Amino acid sequence: MFGISLSGLNASQKYLDVTSNNIANVNTVGFKRSRAEFSDIYSNMIFTNSKVATGVGVVTATVAQQFQQGTLTGDTGNNLDLAINGTGFFVLSPDLNSTDKLTPAQDRTYTRAGDFEVNNKGYVVTPQGDYLQVYDVDEDNVAINLDIGSTHALQIPSTTGAPKATTELTIGLNLPANADHLTVTSFDPKDSSTYTASTSQSMHDSLGGAHTLTYYFIKSTDNGTDNYSSTNPTKWYALTFVDGNPVDISTDSATGTTDFTVTDTNSSVYGETYYGFNLTFDTSGQVSNMDPDALFLVNDTSSHTPLAGRSNYSLLYAMGGGVDGGQNVHLAPTFTQYGSANFSISTTPTDDGYSTGLLTNIQVNDDGLFQASYTNGRINVLGKVAMANFINPQGLTKIGDTQWKASIDSGEPIALEANQGVAGTVKGANLENANVDLANQMVDLIVAQRSYQANAQALQTQNTVFDAILNVR
């Protein structure tokens, strides 16, 4: 008889312990409350009459983790604070090996706590020093290998590393159809009345130095005044200067079909010969011909070299010494000629080169992509947050520090990407609060206390009954 009440006391104590632990962790980021679950005990024998069996007490069946979503905080002001709005888990590993990749998949742990920080080597870690795991991604920001074993630690570089020389420049421009005709041979870069329009974009040399490429456009008079007939389309000449120095446009044949010489004695560049490119437009405002059809800035040792005796018109000369004389720069502009619009930039200029930049910001989007911004304007994707899920999360093994490990009961981790399937989205500058309802836990405390008192009273009553029996004379 005493055993029944004693089992009740033990169960009440377990209920009290679990509830107290929930309350103690009400402010623990990513904490998941537990629930004590109990089952009754019956002593069954072959000849026992089950109709009158009373049972022999209670036993703790399990302390089950409850993985319901906790509430998310607002903007914490720290972009490395991450929260999962869904059922997935962050993937962690305890250390690095000699190749700076994390230890094998079986050593991974899993957490919902996203209060990450950067250690002294630039790795993203938990407050306890465990390394956040990420996937490598392709050009479309899709995980290259969706496997827990392929994940690795995320290291945030403080700079973009070595600079990259420009190899291609793009820009979209509208040249005004109603512009006045000008005499090409009167061109003067210091006199805006001698050219129709100009614009600039940046480019970079092999050392990361920034330079300014300027286009000069001249609407030519060499095709008469009938500008809109299909037999005599409008013609434009274009010249390129880098840092104020003229740079020839190269043709593979180097025939010089786009050259002209300035003959106006009033020009500051009188007597100079320029190799640029020309454009003709059809009646719909589209380019009908561009000569040459592939534009390259010439350089001394590249595949597009200056014409004989014109090294002063090379890209190397314009940029100054000390840089790669073989730098090939392909120009890929697009043009229209609409009369309803003035000279304007229709497509934002792009430059595939860049200088070394310093880290300015880290952001994580809903897809879990870590994006690093640098002072040179570069935005590099460093990796995608690795996420995992389990067939039975309640079967995970608790190891402390708000972390779990996979077990036979939980099943193997299922590798997932954020914002796909059941994994959920990643919210940067947010944290998931503990899923502990303090009011409910206080009620559970009262229930546990009353249960403990009742079992203690039952034990006392049984003791009184035995005393009465022993005192019978």
Side-chain angles (χ1 to χ4, degrees), residues 25-46:
N25 284 282
V26 69
N27 292 316
T28 301
V29 173
F31 176 79
K32 298 302 177 184
R33 65 183 176 86
S34 298
R35 181 178 67 195
E37 298 176 356
F38 305 100
S39 59
D40 57 353
I41 304 174
Y42 273 83
S43 179
N44 294 322
M45 294 185 297
I46 296 176

Side-chain angles (χ1 to χ4, degrees), residues 234-397:
T234 302
K235 185 173 184 178
W236 293 75
Y237 276 97
L239 306 177
T240 53
F241 282 59
V242 173
D243 294 344
N245 300 300
V247 177
D248 287 348
I249 295 294
S250 174
T251 63
D252 291 331
S253 61
T255 58
T257 57
T258 58
D259 69 305
F260 68 87
T261 301
V262 178
T263 60
D264 189 336
T265 58
N266 293 320
S267 173
S268 65
V269 290
Y270 167 71
E272 295 290 340
T273 299
Y274 295 103
Y275 286 83
F277 61 98
N278 62 52
L279 302 162
T280 52
F281 291 90
D282 60 23
T283 56
S284 66
Q286 303 300 311
V287 175
S288 61
N289 183 64
M290 184 170 72
D291 183 21
D293 56 6
L295 308 182
F296 288 88
L297 299 178
V298 300
N299 216 346
D300 283 357
T301 59
S302 72
S303 57
H304 299 274
T305 57
L307 299 178
R310 291 184 63 82
S311 61
N312 287 359
Y313 289 80
S314 71
L315 181 59
L316 176 62
Y317 181 88
M319 292 190 301
V323 298
D324 183 7
Q327 182 177 357
N328 263 318
V329 179
H330 176 223
L331 305 184
T334 57
F335 299 99
T336 57
Q337 182 187 250
Y338 297 138
S340 59
N342 295 324
F343 177 78
S344 60
I345 297 175
S346 56
T347 304
T348 302
T350 65
D351 171 12
D352 68 349
Y354 51 84
S355 59
T356 297
L358 299 177
L359 180 68
T360 59
N361 193 29
I362 291 289
Q363 288 185 315
V364 184
N365 66 11
D366 287 358
D367 294 332
L369 289 173
F370 270 87
Q371 298 173 313
S373 302
Y374 296 88
T375 53
N376 60 1
R378 298 286 298 173
I379 299 178
N380 293 343
V381 175
L382 305 179
K384 177 178 278 192
V385 175
M387 298 183 68
N389 211 335
F390 298 87
I391 296 175
N392 176 30
Q394 288 191 337
L396 290 168
T397 300

Side-chain angles (χ1 to χ4, degrees), residues 113-324:
D115 48 343
F116 297 108
E117 56 192 44
V118 178
N119 68 9
N120 59 359
K121 294 184 179 179
Y123 286 97
V124 178
V125 297
T126 67
Q128 294 79 28
D130 296 304
Y131 295 82
L132 175 66
Q133 300 291 279
V134 296
Y135 302 118
D136 289 323
V137 296
D138 59 19
E139 293 180 355
D140 297 320
N141 294 326
V142 176
I144 294 174
N145 189 355
L146 194 61
D147 178 72
I148 298 297
S150 71
T151 62
H152 61 86
L154 174 65
Q155 188 176 33
I156 300 175
S158 59
T159 68
T160 53
K164 180 180 182 296
T166 298
T167 60
E168 182 163 290
L169 296 169
T170 68
I171 191 172
L173 297 168
N174 180 71
L175 304 180
N178 55 3
D180 294 333
H181 294 276
L182 298 173
T183 303
V184 174
T185 55
S186 295
F187 170 72
D188 185 347
K190 297 180 180 180
D191 184 356
S192 61
S193 67
T194 64
Y195 54 88
T196 308
S198 69
T199 190
S200 301
Q201 68 180 124
S202 63
M203 59 178 293
H204 295 84
D205 60 36
S206 59
L207 301 179
H211 303 274
T212 301
L213 169 65
T214 303
Y215 302 88
Y216 292 94
F217 297 97
I218 308 169
K219 189 175 184 181
S220 173
T221 60
D222 68 357
N223 59 343
T225 58
D226 187 7
N227 304 309
Y228 302 104
S229 71
S230 59
T231 59
N232 199 8
T234 302
K235 185 173 184 178
W236 293 75
Y237 276 97
L239 306 177
T240 53
F241 282 59
V242 173
D243 294 344
N245 300 300
V247 177
D248 287 348
I249 295 294
S250 174
T251 63
D252 291 331
S253 61
T255 58
T257 57
T258 58
D259 69 305
F260 68 87
T261 301
V262 178
T263 60
D264 189 336
T265 58
N266 293 320
S267 173
S268 65
V269 290
Y270 167 71
E272 295 290 340
T273 299
Y274 295 103
Y275 286 83
F277 61 98
N278 62 52
L279 302 162
T280 52
F281 291 90
D282 60 23
T283 56
S284 66
Q286 303 300 311
V287 175
S288 61
N289 183 64
M290 184 170 72
D291 183 21
D293 56 6
L295 308 182
F296 288 88
L297 299 178
V298 300
N299 216 346
D300 283 357
T301 59
S302 72
S303 57
H304 299 274
T305 57
L307 299 178
R310 291 184 63 82
S311 61
N312 287 359
Y313 289 80
S314 71
L315 181 59
L316 176 62
Y317 181 88
M319 292 190 301
V323 298
D324 183 7

Side-chain angles (χ1 to χ4, degrees), residues 14-24 441-442 444-445 448:
K14 179 66 72 174
Y15 189 7
L16 186 62
D17 291 343
V18 171
T19 304
S20 298
N21 186 61
N22 290 340
I23 293 174
Q441 296 300 308
M442 295 302 292
D444 287 345
L445 273 184

